[in-house]
Every structure is written in structure tokens, then in C-alpha cells.
């Protein structure tokens, strides 16, 4: 039987939680769930000056919001805790002592160094006034007297790593490197590897920016006599336009932003899956169970992914529309409440009816207050872009004025046959198509250019409101 998979997400709480971190966490989580393994959350908070409790809380909240539950880690515990590196110093010191005892580490200038294995030789480097070091005699003709230093190098076998995403990657460390600084603090590489050993991590899934650290990490695993985990370095996320990597400052980069904008977490998570991975049949909107079933590390793309805000918004819209009406209403009603569109006095039935009506047309929960205000209030805004659009064909006031007498003949606006007859009569009288009244009418009664279909809209607003608004608008 093969070893059960253990993956981990190892964030440093030095800033708000951005989509790159969320996607790294997601791929680790997906792989653990796919294999029936364990997903560990470990907090890499050794940089005391830059870590804050606020950022720590944001990590926990964002992971929970995105539905990525961890099996071991802060709050839930586990056999290999504590799960905050700031509480693991005894463990790091124990590993340091092991290396000092077996000769794979030594002390120099107060710091502790890892001794690489291999054939040692020395080289002389020359530094000129610009501070750059040149090996051997490259700048010997310079008029400036060089500073020199002698360095010890190791001709070691280059490390050949079979990365699950990148394929074979070769890289060699050629000189000893520091494990503990002179102030006694362990460096990132050391604590990262010690914890992966202690926490029995089998698969290290992390951002490509760590690929260049991996040769150091492998050397530490080897020095400690520990098995080397599988690695999967996942591609960078590029910003929407331009060549650069998405940074925390880029629009759309922070997970909290989606939360406060009432995005559906399932939609955000679904979109994040697509940043570097493609479902087998190309169907992008998928329930998480299907993604878990399909997700293989070797299917992760090695090319960089590009963040696309519009695609994220579209994914959110698809998820919103696919909710059953009850779920949609339970998410949407509080958004209307918060925006002051409805309150305790608003009849619950009215809210439910309006939400059922708008769900198929709803673009986002964030836009829902503006999209539904006219159902609950006479004080709705008129959208200027919609006004310009609706005015292109004919004067909307004149169109509405021409429609009023015909609609007045209809007793019940839920009676679609009578409503259609009124539109037809109005069209015949004005010499236009019946449907030419739709856009001006919609604009008059809602102030908008889009919304529910015309019949259910008229039925929901009712005769009195529609006629009163038409009269007011066309006056
Ligand atoms: N703390 C590191 C980071 O936030 C994690 C590195 C790793 O996953 O190995 O980038």
C-alpha cells in the first residue's frame, strides 16, 4: 500500500490573503481531498516584525469562506503540532543539534551553516569599487586595486528534481549556506524543511517562486537523512493586462474583496481552480466534488495563468443562476436588507417573489440593490447609460404617453393576453411594432435597461404602479 498523501499550505501572515495564496492552498487541498489524504495548515510566522494577528485571522477566515477545511493545524490541532512556527523553536534547535553532531552543519561567525557534500575547492573572487564580485582574474586589467575574498565551493552532483508540474529541473548548490543567523534565528529554508519532515508531508505544492529554493531544501532533507517529498511548483498568476505577476495591489487580488462584494465563495473557488488547471471535458463550471474527483497534479499547467476579472464575474453569475430559488433568496435577502432596500416592514412574500423573478437576470449580488430597488420604492434612480440607449430609437416619453391609454384598458396586468392586445393596439395606432414599447416602458418603470421579462415584470409591479410611473415619466 502506498503512503497516504499529506499536503500542506504554509502561508506567512505578512499581508492580506490574495488570490495567489488562495490558489496555492486550493491545489494542496484539492490534491489531499482527491487522494483521501490529509491537508495540513502550517503558519510560517518566523518573521516577527512582519506578522500580525490580523493577517493570521484573515487567512483562517478566507480559507473557511472558500470552504477549504484543514485536517490538522491551528484551531483544530493534530499529532504534529504546534502548527505555528513561532512555537516550534525547540524542534528546530533539536534538528540543528543533530546536524552539528553528524558534521553536516558547523558554526562560523556566530551563524550555523549547512556543509554541502562533494569535492571541495577554493576560488578567488575580486571585487571592484562597484561592489560586484568577479571570479578569478576577469578584471585584472582594471586600474583599481581589487578587494579579494576566497570562497570555498563544492563540486556536487546537480540536483535532478522530477517536479510534478515542471518535469525535470536541474540545479546545483555550489556553496554552503546559512541555517541559523548569528542572532540565533533559523532561516526560512531550514524551518520549512524541518516542518515538512516532522509533519510527514508527502507532497509539497507551492508557487513557482519557490522553485529556486528547492535545491537548498533538498540538500537539507539529505543532510537530515529524510526522504525527499514530491514537489509540484504551480505557475504564477499574471495580472489581467501586462506581463507582470499579479500583486497584492492589483485590482481583484484580495479574497476579502470578493467576500465584501458578496461573491459566492463556490464561484470564486471554481474560478481559482481554472488558474492553471483545466477540467478534462472543458466544462469550466463544475461542482467541487467533480473537481476533486478529476484533480491530478500532473494536469496542472506549467505555463503561467492569467487573471481575468471578467471571467471571475461571469463564473459568479453562472453560479448565482444555478442556485435553487430558496438558496438564492437566503443569500440575496440579507444583501437587500443591508442596502436598506427592504426592512422588517417589507412583506416577506414580496421579497421572495421579487427575488425569484430577478434571479435568472441577476449579474451579481453586489448589483442586486440597484437592480431591484424599483420593486420596493418609488424613489428609484434613472440610469443615464440606459436613458441614452433607449432614446436612440424614439423619444421614450412620447412612446410611454402613446402606450398609456391602451394599457389603461387592461384590468389585470397578470393577464398576458390582454396585455399583449394592448401592446398590439398601441403599435397599430403609433405605426410601430408592439415590442418597440418594451424598452421605454422598462426604463420608465424601473430606470434600467435590463431586468425580468416584460410580462412577469408588469404582473409583479401591478396595474396601479405601472400606470402611475408611466404618467409621471411621460409628463
Ligand atoms: N511560507 C512560504 C510562503 O508563504 C511557504 C513556502 C512553501 O510552501 O514551502 O511562500
Amino acid at each position: 500500500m502506498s503512503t497516504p498523501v499529506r499536503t500542506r499550505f504554509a502561508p506567512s501572515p505578512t499581508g492580506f490573503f490574495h488570490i495567489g495564496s488562495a490558489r496555492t492552498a486550493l491545489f494542496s487541498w484539492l490534491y489531499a481531498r482527491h487522494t483521501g489524504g490529509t491537508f495540513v495548515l502550517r503558519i510560517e510566522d518566523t518573521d516577527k516584525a512582519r506578522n500580525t494577528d490580523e493577517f493570521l485571522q484573515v487567512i483562517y477566515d478566507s480559507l473557511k469562506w472558500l470552504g477549504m477545511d484543514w485536517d490538522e493545524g491551528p484551531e483544530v490541532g493534530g499529532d504534529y503540532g504546534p502548527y505555528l512556527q513561532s512555537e516550534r523553536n525547540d524542534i528546530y534547535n533539536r534538528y540543528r543539534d543533530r546536524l552539528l553532531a553528524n558534521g553536516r552543519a558547523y558554526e562560523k561567525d556566530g551563524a550555523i551553516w549547512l556543509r554541502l557534500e562533494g569535492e571541495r575547492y577554493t576560488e578567488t573572487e575580486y571585487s571592484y569599487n562597484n561592489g560586484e564580485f568577479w571570479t578569478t582574474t576577469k578584471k585584472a586589467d582594471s586600474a583599481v586595486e581589487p578587494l579579494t575574498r576566497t570562497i570555498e565551493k563544492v563540486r556536487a552532483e546537480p540536483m535532478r528534481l522530477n517536479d510534478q508540474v515542471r518535469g525535470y529541473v536541474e540545479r546545483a548548490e555550489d556553496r554552503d549556506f546559512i541555517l541559523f543567523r548569528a542572532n540565533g534565528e533559523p532561516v526560512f529554508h531550514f524551518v520549512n524543511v524541518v516542518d515538512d519532515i516532522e509533519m510527514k508531508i508527502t507532497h509539497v505544492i507551492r508557487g513557482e517562486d519557490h522553485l529556486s529554493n528547492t535545491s537548498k531544501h533538498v540538500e537539507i532533507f539529505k543532510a537530515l537523512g529524510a526522504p525527499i517529498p514530491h514537489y509540484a511548483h504551480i505557475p504564477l498568476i499574471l495580472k489581467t493586462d501586462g506581463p507582470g505577476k499579479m500583486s497584492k495591489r492589483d485590482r481583484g487580488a484580495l479574497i476579502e474583496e470578493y467576500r465584501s462584494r458578496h461573491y459566492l465563495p463556490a464561484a470564486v473557488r471554481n474560478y481559482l481552480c481554472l488558474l492553471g488547471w483545466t477540467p478534462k471535458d472543458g466544462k469550466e463550471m463544475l461542482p467541487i466534488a467533480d473537481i476533486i474527483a478529476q484533480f491530478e497534479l500532473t494536469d496542472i499547467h506549467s505555463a503561467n495563468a492569467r487573471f481575468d476579472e471578467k471571467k471571475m464575474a461571469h463564473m459568479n453569475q453562472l453560479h448565482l443562476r444555478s442556485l435553487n430559488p430558496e438558496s438564492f433568496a437566503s443569500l440575496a435577502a440579507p444583501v437587500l436588507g443591508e442596502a436598506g432596500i427592504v426592512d422588517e416592514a417589507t412583506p416577506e412574500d414580496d421579497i421572495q417573489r421579487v427575488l425569484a423573478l430577478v434571479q435568472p437576470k441577476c449579474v451579481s449580488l453586489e448589483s442586486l440593490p440597484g437592480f431591484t430597488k424599483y420593486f420596493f420604492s418609488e424613489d428609484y434612480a434613472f440610469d443615464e447609460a440606459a436613458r441614452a440607449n433607449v432614446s436612440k430609437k424614439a423619444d421614450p416619453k412620447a412612446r410611454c404617453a402613446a402606450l398609456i391609454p391602451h394599457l389603461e384598458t387592461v384590468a389585470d396586468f397578470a393577464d398576458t393576453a390582454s396585455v399583449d392586445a394592448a401592446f398590439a393596439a398601441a403599435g397599430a395606432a403609433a405605426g410601430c411594432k408592439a415590442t418597440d414599447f418594451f424598452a421605454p416602458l422598462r426604463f420608465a418603470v424601473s430606470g434600467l435597461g435590463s431586468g425580468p421579462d416584460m410580462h412577469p415584470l408588469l404582473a409583479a409591479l401591478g396595474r396601479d404602479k405601472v400606470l402611475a410611473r408611466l404618467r409621471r415619466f411621460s409628463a
Side-chain angles (χ1 to χ4, degrees):
M1 220 183 81
S2 58
T3 329
V5 166
R6 291 177 58 86
T7 68
R8 83 313 191 261
F9 174 51
S12 304
T14 54
F16 286 106
F17 199 67
H18 60 99
I19 63 166
S21 304
R23 200 269 317 248
T24 301
L26 179 59
F27 283 11
S28 294
W29 179 83
L30 281 173
Y31 193 61
R33 294 293 170 261
H34 173 74
T35 53
T38 303
F39 176 57
V40 179
L41 174 62
R42 173 174 86 225
I43 303 298
E44 302 214 321
D45 58 345
T46 49
D47 186 349
K48 292 182 196 76
R50 294 174 63 216
N51 293 303
T52 74
D53 286 346
E54 186 196 358
F55 292 146
L56 199 58
Q57 201 53 49
V58 170
I59 292 172
Y60 301 157
D61 291 348
S62 302
L63 288 174
K64 288 179 200 165
W65 184 69
L66 287 167
M68 291 187 242
D69 51 327
W70 55 98
D71 306 308
E72 289 176 25
E75 297 185 348
V76 301
D79 291 344
Y80 306 101
Y83 290 90
L84 267 64
Q85 287 188 330
S86 56
E87 297 170 7
R88 296 174 63 80
N89 271 327
D90 293 351
I91 298 168
Y92 305 137
N93 292 341
R94 208 168 69 227
Y95 274 77
R96 176 201 57 201
D97 294 345
R98 238 164 81 182
L99 289 180
L100 287 169
N102 76 5
R104 290 302 307 274
Y106 59 92
E107 192 258 304
K108 189 177 86 185
D109 305 329
I112 305 290
W113 297 69
L114 182 89
R115 190 194 311 280
L116 289 178
E117 275 182 336
E119 183 197 342
R120 284 173 183 274
Y121 65 105
T122 52
E123 255 179 21
T124 303
E125 286 187 337
Y126 299 89
S127 167
Y128 296 86
N129 284 348
N130 62 7
E132 227 180 293
F133 275 97
W134 295 84
T135 304
T136 64
T137 55
K138 252 189 200 164
K139 280 200 175 173
D141 57 342
S142 165
V144 188
E145 191 57 27
L147 301 161
T148 61
R149 70 175 184 188
T150 301
I151 52 161
E152 191 170 65
K153 285 196 170 190
V154 181
R155 286 187 221 275
E157 285 286 293
M159 175 205 81
R160 193 153 187 258
L161 179 78
N162 187 7
D163 190 276
Q164 309 270 301
V165 176
R166 308 295 307 234
Y168 282 103
V169 180
E170 261 190 34
R171 193 184 150 94
E173 288 302 317
D174 64 358
R175 50 187 93 169
D176 297 351
F177 56 88
I178 287 183
L179 301 178
F180 280 75
R181 297 188 193 88
N183 66 7
E185 283 177 5
V187 304
F188 156 72
H189 305 298
F190 188 66
V191 296
N192 183 266
V193 169
V194 166
D195 285 348
D196 283 342
I197 296 171
E198 278 279 298
M199 296 176 184
K200 300 195 164 39
I201 299 305
T202 58
H203 290 72
V204 170
I205 301 162
R206 61 185 177 191
E208 195 190 276
D209 44 332
H210 285 292
L211 185 60
S212 59
N213 293 327
T214 306
S215 48
K216 282 199 174 67
H217 296 186
V218 168
E219 292 298 346
I220 301 173
F221 277 107
K222 286 196 322 208
L224 287 163
I228 294 160
H230 297 285
Y231 283 99
H233 285 93
I234 60 183
L236 299 178
I237 301 175
L238 305 178
K239 56 175 96 185
T240 306
D241 29 57
K245 182 182 156 187
M246 183 104 176
S247 89
K248 295 179 193 196
R249 288 168 300 281
D250 285 313
R251 211 176 123 79
L254 301 182
I255 294 298
E256 296 92 288
E257 187 187 316
Y258 294 102
R259 197 175 171 179
S260 64
R261 290 174 62 192
H262 305 294
Y263 266 69
L264 297 182
V268 175
R269 188 174 59 189
N270 192 162
Y271 177 72
L272 291 176
C273 289
L274 305 177
L275 287 173
W277 178 82
T278 314
K280 288 205 167 54
D281 59 3
K283 200 169 137 252
E284 295 194 322
M285 185 196 161
L286 282 177
I288 196 68
D290 292 7
I291 295 176
I292 288 172
Q294 286 190 33
F295 190 82
E296 293 288 355
L297 294 179
T298 44
D299 291 338
I300 297 173
H301 309 168
S302 55
N304 290 334
R306 190 176 292 282
F307 178 70
D308 182 343
E309 204 178 353
K310 288 205 185 84
K311 191 165 173 181
M312 168 85 105
H314 182 65
M315 183 60 78
N316 186 51
Q317 184 179 343
L318 293 179
H319 277 261
L320 269 179
R321 289 185 186 175
S322 74
L323 291 175
N324 64 42
E326 295 72 36
S327 309
F328 178 76
S330 70
L331 294 168
V335 176
L336 296 187
E338 250 172 63
I341 302 294
V342 299
D343 56 28
E344 304 82 66
T346 318
E348 192 52 38
D349 278 1
D350 288 2
I351 301 177
Q352 298 300 324
R353 213 158 26 114
V354 168
L355 290 176
L357 188 60
V358 298
Q359 185 187 357
K361 307 283 173 177
C362 174
V363 174
S364 65
L365 289 176
E366 185 186 24
S367 64
L368 202 59
F371 199 59
T372 54
K373 183 168 184 189
Y374 64 95
F375 286 104
F376 303 101
S377 160
E378 291 304 312
D379 180 26
Y380 52 93
F382 286 87
D383 182 81
E384 286 313 315
R387 188 194 300 279
N389 210 20
V390 79
S391 305
K392 273 186 204 150
K393 268 197 159 174
D395 174 18
K397 286 190 178 188
R399 276 273 148 85
C400 288
L403 180 63
I404 291 170
H406 299 278
L407 279 184
E408 277 172 342
T409 66
V410 179
D412 177 3
F413 275 30
D415 173 0
T416 53
S418 302
V419 168
D420 282 343
F423 278 122
C432 65
K433 285 183 289 180
T435 50
D436 288 341
F437 292 101
F438 287 11
L441 168 60
R442 177 187 302 287
F443 186 65
V445 300
S446 71
L448 301 174
S450 67
D453 293 339
M454 196 46 72
H455 285 127
L457 172 64
L458 293 178
L461 287 172
R463 186 179 196 276
D464 295 349
K465 270 189 192 156
V466 171
L467 286 173
R469 290 180 187 185
L470 280 175
R471 288 185 193 113
R472 205 163 62 218
F473 178 76
S474 60

